[in-house]
Amino acid sequence: MRTLIEDLSAILEDAFEAEGLDRRLGAARPADRPDLADYQCNGALAAAKAAGRNPREIGAAVAERLAGHASFSSVDLAGPGFINLRLSNAALSARLDAAEAAPRLGGWRTPAVEKIVLDYGGPNIAKPLHVGHLRSAIIGEALKRLLRGVGHEVVSDIHLGDWGLPIGQLITELELEAPELPYFDAAFEGPYPDDSPLALKDLERLYPQASAACKADPARAAEAKRATADLQAGRPGYRALWRHFIDVSRRAIEREYADLGVSFDVWKGESDADPLIPEMAAELRAAGLTENDDGAEIIRVARDGDRKEVPPLILFKSDGGVLYGTTDLATILDRRRTFDPDRILYVVDQRQGLHFEQVFRAADRAGLIDAGRLEHVGFGTMNGKDGKPFKTREGGVLKLRDLIDAVDAKALERLEEGGLAADMSAEARADVARKVGVAALKFADLASPRTSDYVFDIDKFMSFEGKTGPYLLYAVVRIDSVLKKAGRADGLRGQAASEKDADWPRALADAPARDLAMAIAGYGDAVKAAVDKRMPHFLAEHAYAVAQSFAKFYAACRIADEPDAGTRDARLRLSVAAGRQLLDALATIGIDAPEKM
Ligand code: ARG
């Protein structure tokens, strides 16, 4: 289905064309002055410039053609030649009918279905999951649901960091602590034990210890490097130990992401690309793409006209070791073979922008995939109140587990303060608290464009007022309870309500109700913008706009207790449309709303 803006633009474009002007000038956009219009078109100004004519004259001619069109209740010329449009009740009613018939994502579907690999999460085994992996998971999960919802075929891949130096550091640290383990005995012929010698808390203790030791002592660091190289070369004891690390970490990662409503189709890692590196390198060499640079093997990716220096991608270091760029390049080869995607999206901190630029250019040069089909969907950092990337009070990185627990506790506290969920069992209340907590965390992240930084402020995120997750959940619960009060026992989640045939124009008579209807009608445009720009925040914005419009409507108009039956049914019908759309938008950005609170 076309979005509202697409519909209006099509009407405007025809009018421009009929005036002998360039169709493309007939683009509609939300009005700058909602008190004067719903949508506006500024095309007359550009048309006048191109034709050397008076913009007001052109605007008047186009407006003349639009006057009387069934979609508009008014068409006015304003300022130097802006065309201001108000949607007719008939057109708005048709939009509401469509929203009702196709509540999912405003009925918007992608015109060109693609197979997309979505790379997000990207936690590193050995290291605990930390808040840096939070944004990737939140944004990636929202994009997965959104892209899938509009018709794309999406494979989500966590792309575990399971192959680098941290593993070597960990292996050597364990060797210092427990040299008697068979994994370190090069002569041991196996089989190695099935059970991991380490639990998660051992890993969490060993890694910081190892990394500090390596920082302090070059010999110790060299030893870790040697172990990493041996692991990568296939030393059996190290491989067996590494498998244990992956298993133990994966269980924890899965649990923590599941608590946030984040899941993956594929759990591949950097290591999966490793076996492909030799043949990839051979092909690159055969194609004459690699060069020797002081013992290292590189691919040059600089281009004429680069505004900043783009250094070569290092395929092999002089000691033969591989780097992040090498595995990312080989991962593209792996993905081509396994999924043959049309596109790969990387939801990764924008500070890795140069890395992806190098990888994409190298992939393009290597003929693996066009650089235009690779997208770095970067994001800013979550900062502390000091404006620097968020740290704990002790100055360490906050573990995701601790963050989730803190948010849970805060949510419970807020529910108690507000007297919410009071008549529930402790278990049910804990479930609501978890949902409120996750909504707070996710909404705070998705409420601004992903490219912006934001400040972590748990009290603000958790407030039931303002642009927050809890506010939105509360809006859904309120709509639900209005419906129940009006006798719809199953509320928002039940079958189509009985006021199905209520008369829309009757609901649209009051300005706050009409504003709500306009907000609802804009869903398809929000969805399309979110897809086109890979920016889930358009959905968050939209959900907030609908919730806010509903609050105003609710304050201004009686709903369940409206004495006039026809008006009541029409308002209930509008409330259902608002509530269902809110639920849909929230579910798409990965937020689960409790039924009660
Ligand atoms: N493990 C990486 C990190 O923690 C993120 C991986 C992102 N994905 C990728 N294909 N490079 O920084």
Side-chain angles (χ1 to χ4, degrees):
M1 190 172 72
R2 282 202 306 213
T3 71
L4 178 53
I5 287 187
E6 286 171 336
D7 259 351
L8 299 178
S9 297
I11 299 169
L12 283 157
E13 283 159 10
D14 287 347
F16 272 79
E17 191 168 341
E19 282 299 313
L21 303 165
D22 185 349
R23 279 187 73 78
R24 286 169 304 179
L25 297 172
R29 40 180 274 186
D32 296 331
R33 293 271 312 264
D35 52 326
L36 299 181
D38 299 323
Y39 286 85
Q40 70 183 57
C41 172
N42 301 349
L45 280 74
K49 204 167 191 183
R53 288 169 57 191
N54 177 338
R56 269 196 80 90
E57 201 180 288
I58 293 184
V62 173
E64 178 94 9
R65 287 191 179 271
L66 298 173
H69 192 290
S71 288
F72 306 116
S73 60
S74 71
V75 181
D76 300 312
L77 200 60
F82 304 123
I83 302 167
N84 277 343
L85 305 166
R86 266 218 190 278
L87 215 58
S88 66
N89 274 356
L92 190 48
S93 300
R95 277 277 150 193
L96 293 172
D97 280 337
E100 212 169 50
R104 188 85 183 97
L105 295 171
W108 194 80
R109 306 278 296 175
T110 176
V113 174
E114 290 188 320
K115 187 190 272 189
I116 298 173
V117 170
L118 192 60
D119 178 320
Y120 64 98
N124 304 307
I125 70 159
K127 307 190 202 175
L129 213 58
H130 62 80
V131 296
H133 298 111
L134 179 68
R135 294 212 72 187
S136 176
I138 292 174
I139 298 166
E141 180 70 23
L143 284 174
K144 176 182 79 180
R145 296 176 186 213
L146 172 65
L147 294 171
R148 220 171 248 171
V150 299
H152 289 298
E153 197 184 318
V154 182
V155 180
S156 59
D157 181 1
I158 191 167
H159 198 68
L160 279 179
D162 60 0
W163 204 231
L165 186 60
I167 318 280
Q169 295 180 332
L170 207 53
I171 291 174
T172 44
E173 193 68 18
L174 182 61
E175 181 164 15
L176 289 171
E177 274 198 7
E180 70 287 356
L181 289 172
Y183 307 96
F184 307 112
D185 176 0
F188 184 75
E189 291 190 354
Y192 295 96
D194 287 337
D195 289 329
S196 172
L198 295 178
L200 185 68
K201 58 179 190 327
D202 304 314
L203 279 181
E204 289 182 357
R205 177 180 55 84
L206 277 185
Y207 178 72
Q209 202 174 297
S211 111
C214 290
K215 243 179 231 150
D217 175 4
R220 174 75 188 75
E223 182 56 10
K225 261 174 120 173
R226 193 259 327 139
T228 309
D230 284 355
L231 166 76
Q232 298 188 346
R235 180 166 161 170
Y238 288 4
R239 289 284 176 122
L241 202 48
W242 165 73
R243 281 254 51 105
H244 288 311
F245 295 163
I246 292 185
D247 292 342
V248 169
S249 299
R250 174 170 169 167
R251 275 196 296 276
I253 293 169
E254 234 164 343
R255 212 175 323 113
E256 286 166 27
Y257 277 158
D259 282 346
L260 294 171
V262 173
S263 65
F264 300 88
D265 303 314
V266 178
W267 280 75
K268 287 207 164 193
E270 292 176 11
S271 64
D272 288 290
D274 190 65
L276 299 177
I277 291 175
E279 64 175 296
M280 178 181 81
E283 275 179 36
L284 293 172
R285 273 173 216 135
L289 293 175
T290 66
E291 285 171 45
N292 185 310
D293 183 48
D294 233 353
E297 200 170 356
I298 61 165
I299 305 181
R300 289 195 192 281
V301 292
R303 288 179 185 159
D304 291 343
D306 278 346
R307 265 186 269 136
K308 56 174 185 346
E309 196 201 331
V310 185
L313 181 135
I314 301 171
L315 209 51
F316 297 106
K317 293 183 292 179
S318 50
D319 66 2
V322 298
L323 291 171
Y324 191 33
T326 326
T327 49
D328 256 329
L329 204 55
T331 300
I332 295 174
L333 177 60
D334 186 30
R335 287 174 174 162
R336 269 205 44 190
R337 290 193 182 161
T338 320
F339 309 111
D340 193 22
D342 298 308
R343 196 169 289 283
I344 307 178
L345 265 47
Y346 298 81
V347 185
V348 185
D349 192 321
Q350 60 201 2
R351 288 174 293 184
Q352 294 190 24
L354 184 59
H355 162 76
F356 285 109
E357 188 63 49
Q358 293 172 298
V359 170
F360 295 174
R361 290 183 182 194
D364 196 304
R365 284 200 73 193
L368 280 172
I369 186 168
D370 288 353
R373 295 179 174 277
L374 302 170
E375 294 177 35
H376 175 201
V377 181
F379 51 80
T381 50
M382 185 174 103
N383 291 332
K385 291 197 175 123
D386 59 357
K388 299 205 191 88
F390 190 80
K391 293 261 159 65
T392 60
R393 221 171 297 161
E394 294 74 40
V397 286
L398 180 62
K399 285 188 283 181
L400 197 54
R401 173 83 273 149
D402 296 340
L403 175 66
I404 295 172
D405 291 345
V407 166
D408 264 6
K410 193 82 191 173
L412 206 52
E413 197 182 300
R414 277 290 151 90
L415 289 178
E416 269 155 24
E417 270 169 26
L420 294 164
D423 50 358
M424 293 185 186
S425 68
E427 201 183 326
R429 196 174 326 127
D431 179 61
V432 173
R434 164 59 55 82
K435 285 181 172 142
V436 169
V438 170
L441 210 52
K442 285 189 163 183
F443 195 83
D445 193 287
L446 297 171
S448 45
R450 60 173 159 75
T451 42
S452 311
D453 298 342
Y454 66 97
V455 173
F456 180 79
D457 181 345
I458 196 168
D459 290 306
K460 196 172 124 206
F461 297 177
M462 205 61 82
S463 168
F464 278 92
E465 279 148 49
K467 199 170 175 182
T468 67
Y471 172 77
L472 284 158
L473 298 190
Y474 193 67
V476 172
V477 168
R478 181 149 70 180
I479 297 174
D480 197 59
S481 75
V482 167
L483 296 175
K484 287 181 176 149
K485 205 166 123 201
R488 276 83 188 148
D490 41 9
L492 214 40
R493 292 167 181 81
Q495 287 307 302
S498 55
E499 59 286 346
K500 194 91 182 113
D501 299 318
D503 179 24
W504 285 127
R506 216 147 156 173
L508 303 178
D510 308 280
R514 190 180 180 282
D515 290 346
L516 174 58
M518 284 301 302
I520 292 172
Y523 193 24
D525 283 304
V527 169
K528 184 173 183 297
V531 172
D532 288 350
K533 301 201 160 61
R534 322 299 194 203
M535 292 261 191
H537 95 277
F538 284 106
L539 292 177
E541 282 287 344
H542 178 78
Y544 181 61
V546 170
Q548 242 189 341
S549 304
F550 182 82
K552 289 188 187 145
F553 165 61
Y554 177 82
C557 302
R558 295 166 81 169
I559 307 175
D561 58 356
E562 160 62 41
D564 179 73
T567 305
R568 182 187 59 228
D569 279 358
R571 288 180 182 164
L572 283 170
R573 190 177 179 194
L574 188 62
S575 305
V576 172
R580 293 214 171 139
Q581 193 174 87
L582 259 181
L583 278 177
D584 186 62
L586 289 175
T588 306
I589 56 177
I591 294 178
D592 210 5
E595 291 196 20
K596 282 192 289 196
M597 84 183 160

